[in-house]
Amino acid sequence: PTPQPTPHPTPQPTPQPTLQPTPQPTLPLLVHVAADPPGPLELCEGDCDNNGDCKDGLKCYQRDGYTSVPGCAGLGKKESDYCFDPSNPSMPSLQEVHDTWGQYIAAGQQLGACEGDCDLDSECQEGYVCFQRDDKTPVPGCSGEGTDKWDYCHEPVLSDLGLDPPEVKKEEGGIRLGQCQGDCDADAECAQGLECFHREESEPFAPVPGCAGEGAKKWDYCHKPAL
């Protein structure tokens, strides 16, 4: 009889290693040391009154209410100011994209994280929103000051600008709060297309749709309603 060929086992493919997501840096919590601290404050410590109250390389971030401090987590103590690193290497720096100031940005050309100038959330790439500001308010998740009055795309995280935010201009056509910014009292205080999400007394930390973080207790935030 014709000899049967010796069967060769089918080689098994070398398994590919499972890619692990790059861990995000853990931000230090805001720590209120004292109203009048005895010595220079470390990163995310307060209460500071000026840059001289902070260690070398840090600056004093003056805030209203519970405004988020760049590079730090938590709410801290109301109206207290904290030391922060304006050149935090763990956060991308604010970037000005040529020919965007006051211009409409078409689909396919949207801005990425920490890029400006934007006027609408639709001018940012998917997953980002336009952080509206009237001066050089620090942009959550970004480092640097950027250009005065320019707005930048960022990840939608609850941003506390105070009980009566200076960004809200009551006059017709004035600046309104952007997505995930608060505290708002009415839809009219939010940018076009946004509504004020009101938290109930029974759920003071109710999740705000489309926004990360828990924000301040019982505060209300502008958000984009579902279509």
Side-chain angles (χ1 to χ4, degrees), residues 79-156:
E79 305 294 350
S80 289
D81 306 319
Y82 294 83
C83 298
F84 79 111
D85 184 357
S87 59
N88 191 333
S90 69
M91 299 188 297
S93 59
L94 294 174
Q95 302 289 332
E96 291 76 34
V97 177
H98 183 62
D99 277 345
T100 56
W101 169 251
Q103 302 297 315
Y104 175 72
I105 300 173
Q109 299 178 332
Q110 290 101 325
L111 301 171
C114 305
E115 292 183 342
D117 172 59
C118 59
D119 295 305
L120 303 168
D121 292 342
S122 61
E123 295 180 343
C124 300
Q125 294 176 7
E126 186 175 356
Y128 299 112
V129 295
C130 185
F131 184 85
Q132 306 283 342
R133 61 186 202 161
D134 199 27
D135 44 29
K136 289 187 177 180
T137 302
V139 179
C142 305
S143 63
E145 292 185 334
T147 301
D148 190 41
K149 301 184 187 302
W150 277 48
D151 307 318
Y152 296 83
C153 297
H154 78 115
E155 197 172 13

Side-chain angles (χ1 to χ4, degrees), residues 13-89:
T14 302
Q16 295 294 317
T18 303
L19 296 176
Q20 297 295 321
T22 303
Q24 295 297 312
T26 302
L27 298 179
L29 286 172
L30 292 174
V31 176
H32 187 269
V33 176
D36 187 16
L41 295 167
E42 301 278 359
L43 180 67
C44 302
E45 289 185 345
D47 177 37
C48 58
D49 295 315
N50 52 60
N51 295 339
D53 292 336
C54 304
K55 286 204 167 180
D56 289 345
L58 304 179
K59 290 187 176 182
C60 183
Y61 179 62
Q62 307 284 339
R63 65 181 198 160
D64 238 345
Y66 292 102
T67 306
S68 59
V69 179
C72 305
L75 292 175
K77 186 174 181 180
K78 184 178 180 181
E79 305 294 350
S80 289
D81 306 319
Y82 294 83
C83 298
F84 79 111
D85 184 357
S87 59
N88 191 333

